[in-house]
Amino acid sequence: MANKLIVLEGEGQWTDLPADVEVISPSTYFSDETFQKSRKYKLVNLCKSYSYQSIGYYVSLLAEARGHKVMPQISTLQDFKFPTLVKEEAEDFEDLIQQALKKQSDEKIEIIVCLGNVEDVKLARVGSLLFNLFQVPILKATFQKKDKWQLVQLKPLNLKELPDGLHSLMNASLDEYLQGKNRLNKSYSRKKFDLAILVNPEEATPPSNKKAIQNFVKAGEKVGFNVDVITKNDFAKLIQYDALFIRETTNVNHHTFKFAKKAASEGLIVMDDPESILRCTNKVYLSELLSAHKIPTPKYYIIKKDKLSQLNTSGFEYPIILKQPDGSFSKGVKKAKNELELMKVLKDFFQTSELVIAQEFIPTDFDWRVGVLNKKPLYVCRYYMAKDHWQIVNWKGADSPEEGDADTISIEDAPKALLDLAVKATSLIGNGLYGVDIKQRGKKFYIIEINDNPNLDEGVEDKLLKQQLYTSIMQEFMNRLL
């Protein structure tokens, strides 16, 4: 039985459709009980109109009510009433448009976007951007040059409105969209579920190196996924997938959070889920959460920007650690040796945040890292401090940060109190994948941070488990789908 549907009014010709794709009419979709009994359908709605209460409108509306993944969504159709609001939220929209159109000689240009693809390869980035913002199968965008290029009109088109000469582009784009990056051939048997791994090829210190990503792809295919490695430019293609694994540094004010929220709202299994990103990336929230549940942490203080003049530092023991609420990978963390340095760092941090965390400094040769997956320990590492530095990463040279050594030990050889503390702490966050940083002083353990997007690098965290580390994570995705 096909689980991908093209809903079409009238005639449409597609040949050599894969076994999991079926073309049906709106009437069939409305009335056939088959489509009411399962949520595992993905629809491309190619009806003649998406206007309010049209057939196309009701196809998308009914699909959402049934829990099917449909393009376009009703909310997207509403966006066409207020396109400037969506445009304003887009990262780098203006810069990209001005750059892409600067060599155009005409004062006005129309671009037809077929599922993210355009005829002119020089405008490919524009097509991808527009598809990410306005997720409809066929889109006509009109730009006009005044002082600068401006988006003056957006309109969804149907197949009959598609200009002559673009049908082959539409056919190829639909084929690519439905099949993902894996091309079908006579000997290739497509698997039941699709998983996307989100990466940023430009990131200097990603949470997984290239070999680790290759291992995740291999493991995903082994447990039964079709696996695609995607980037932020593939946002509009999320509804193709059943699961999303984010292997790019996460933050709330960032496209990674947008991906996580979109994936969760579409019913995908996602790690990191948006709740975990929210809870882990903000150190103020995390500190208060751990404190409220009596989880041992270094002593800490929350310093408010508007109360700085009233700050009583008499209880501080120097050196003291200062943290920006939303820093990651040891960034946004400074050490103050005295009150003068304290005030200097606070002044800097308060430029971007109303709150700063001050935390007791516990000097150690290494930090424990316990990887936890679905409330069970997965791996244990020791991350040693960078040479002549008090952190495991020295960010002095931002382009080439220096890292300390690391070693991996078996879960059986790790202190039980360490493992129990990591599991107890992450259970307050969720049931996803986490990396818990823990300091040890004597026989006591203290939570430093819980990371929603932990390092998983080939040659470090997988040193003992090898490929089993990647398989365990991919199998967790599969278990949640079955």
Side-chain angles (χ1 to χ4, degrees):
M1 174 63 69
N3 66 349
K4 296 176 183 177
L5 306 174
I6 301 172
V7 183
L8 182 67
E9 292 178 87
E11 296 297 319
Q13 300 212 347
W14 278 278
T15 58
D16 297 325
L17 284 172
D20 63 345
V21 180
E22 183 180 358
V23 179
I24 63 171
S25 69
S27 297
T28 301
Y29 183 66
F30 292 153
S31 60
D32 194 326
E33 290 186 2
T34 303
F35 305 120
Q36 299 173 6
K37 294 178 180 179
S38 172
R39 295 166 59 89
K40 299 295 184 182
Y41 284 102
K42 304 169 189 177
L43 279 71
V44 177
N45 178 357
L46 290 178
C47 290
K48 294 177 183 177
S49 172
Y50 304 122
S51 61
Y52 183 61
Q53 293 196 341
S54 66
I55 293 294
Y57 179 89
Y58 279 112
V59 167
S60 288
L61 189 69
L62 193 60
E64 291 184 29
R66 291 173 173 177
H68 298 163
K69 298 171 188 173
V70 61
M71 182 186 62
Q73 293 181 312
I74 294 298
S75 59
T76 301
L77 301 179
Q78 293 299 111
D79 286 341
F80 280 96
K81 296 179 181 179
F82 310 102
T84 55
L85 296 180
V86 179
K87 181 189 72 174
E88 287 166 5
E89 293 179 1
E91 294 180 23
D92 307 324
F93 182 92
E94 287 296 339
D95 290 344
L96 190 152
I97 294 300
Q98 304 312 318
Q99 187 69 23
L101 301 182
K102 67 180 181 181
K103 294 184 179 180
Q104 295 291 329
S105 56
D106 297 330
E107 296 296 307
K108 190 175 181 180
I109 181 172
E110 289 184 350
I111 301 173
I112 307 296
V113 184
C114 298
L115 293 146
N117 296 319
V118 294
E119 190 173 32
D120 187 345
V121 293
K122 295 191 292 295
L123 301 175
R125 291 187 68 195
V126 177
S128 177
L129 174 66
L130 290 171
F131 188 45
N132 281 333
L133 292 177
F134 304 97
Q135 294 163 39
V136 296
I138 311 172
L139 175 68
K140 181 172 78 171
T142 305
F143 292 92
Q144 190 167 336
K145 190 172 185 181
K146 297 176 182 176
D147 294 333
K148 60 180 182 178
W149 284 101
Q150 295 179 2
L151 177 62
V152 293
Q153 186 184 38
L154 278 167
K155 181 185 176 185
L157 302 182
N158 63 49
L159 286 173
K160 288 189 177 180
E161 295 173 310
L162 193 65
D164 293 339
L166 289 184
H167 287 85
S168 59
L169 174 67
M170 179 60 192
N171 290 351
S173 299
L174 184 62
D175 178 66
E176 177 187 5
Y177 182 83
L178 290 170
Q179 297 184 28
K181 294 181 180 178
N182 293 312
R183 286 290 172 267
L184 295 176
N185 55 50
K186 298 293 184 183
S187 62
Y188 181 75
S189 177
R190 191 160 180 83
K191 300 177 177 70
K192 183 178 181 181
F193 294 114
D194 301 297
L195 178 141
I197 301 177
L198 177 64
V199 303
N200 178 2
E202 313 277 314
E203 190 171 6
T205 54
S208 285
N209 55 25
K210 290 181 180 179
K211 288 186 177 179
I213 295 299
Q214 292 170 5
N215 289 336
F216 276 121
V217 171
K218 181 180 176 182
E221 292 173 345
K222 179 181 177 182
V223 305
F225 283 112
N226 309 295
V227 183
D228 288 342
V229 178
I230 66 171
T231 70
K232 70 176 185 178
N233 295 326
D234 296 309
F235 180 73
K237 299 178 181 178
L238 267 183
I239 66 169
Q240 298 180 66
Y241 299 100
D242 304 288
L244 172 67
F245 188 31
I246 300 178
R247 287 283 83 199
E248 178 180 355
T249 303
T250 54
N251 210 321
V252 174
N253 189 25
H254 193 249
H255 65 261
T256 47
F257 186 62
K258 184 181 176 184
F259 268 77
K261 285 194 69 176
K262 173 71 171 176
S265 71
E266 291 289 347
L268 279 69
I269 306 301
V270 54
M271 294 187 205
D272 317 322
D273 62 274
E275 290 80 13
S276 292
I277 295 175
L278 271 171
R279 293 167 180 169
C280 290
T281 55
N282 192 289
K283 295 178 176 64
V284 173
Y285 175 91
L286 201 55
S287 297
E288 290 292 291
L289 179 71
L290 297 176
S291 175
H293 289 83
K294 296 181 169 41
I295 303 289
T297 65
K299 187 167 30 173
Y300 74 94
Y301 312 87
I302 296 177
I303 305 175
K304 295 180 66 180
K305 181 179 181 179
D306 62 356
K307 299 292 184 181
L308 183 57
S309 61
Q310 303 169 27
L311 180 64
N312 181 0
T313 61
S314 60
F316 290 3
E317 294 182 13
Y318 296 98
I320 193 166
I321 305 302
L322 299 164
K323 296 182 176 183
Q324 289 179 320
D326 60 351
S328 60
F329 286 124
S330 302
K331 292 180 179 178
V333 180
K334 301 287 185 183
K335 183 170 69 171
K337 298 176 184 175
N338 49 52
E339 187 166 347
L340 185 64
E341 289 188 2
L342 169 72
M343 292 303 173
K344 183 180 178 182
V345 174
L346 288 176
K347 183 179 179 181
D348 179 36
F349 281 6
F350 280 142
Q351 291 182 30
T352 56
S353 176
E354 293 292 318
L355 300 178
V356 171
I357 292 283
Q359 191 178 74
E360 173 190 8
F361 177 53
I362 300 178
T364 56
D365 292 334
F366 64 86
D367 287 351
W368 289 102
R369 164 66 64 86
V370 180
V372 178
L373 177 63
N374 194 11
K375 302 183 180 182
K376 293 181 181 178
L378 180 63
Y379 63 88
V380 180
C381 291
R382 288 181 291 218
Y383 298 154
Y384 291 85
M385 302 302 140
K387 186 178 180 181
D388 300 323
H389 195 60
W390 56 278
Q391 292 174 286
I392 60 176
V393 180
N394 184 352
W395 293 97
K396 188 174 250 186
D399 294 334
S400 54
E402 295 180 6
E403 298 186 38
D405 294 331
D407 61 23
T408 307
I409 68 172
S410 67
I411 290 175
E412 292 75 20
D413 292 335
K416 184 176 183 300
L418 175 82
L419 302 177
D420 290 346
L421 181 61
V423 171
K424 183 178 180 181
T426 55
S427 296
L428 301 174
I429 304 296
N431 63 354
L433 172 66
Y434 309 101
V436 190
D437 293 339
I438 300 176
K439 291 277 190 185
Q440 182 176 1
R441 183 161 56 188
K443 294 185 178 181
K444 291 186 177 181
F445 297 97
Y446 303 86
I447 300 281
I448 301 298
E449 269 183 26
I450 302 175
N451 301 279
D452 64 285
N453 195 248
N455 281 78
L456 292 165
D457 282 325
E458 197 269 346
V460 183
E461 288 78 13
D462 68 353
K463 198 167 185 179
L464 294 181
L465 292 175
K466 305 296 184 185
Q467 190 63 24
Q468 183 58 41
L469 174 73
Y470 307 98
T471 302
S472 296
I473 295 169
M474 293 294 100
Q475 187 62 55
E476 181 64 28
F477 276 101
M478 183 60 73
N479 292 346
R480 296 185 186 196
L481 283 166
L482 296 175

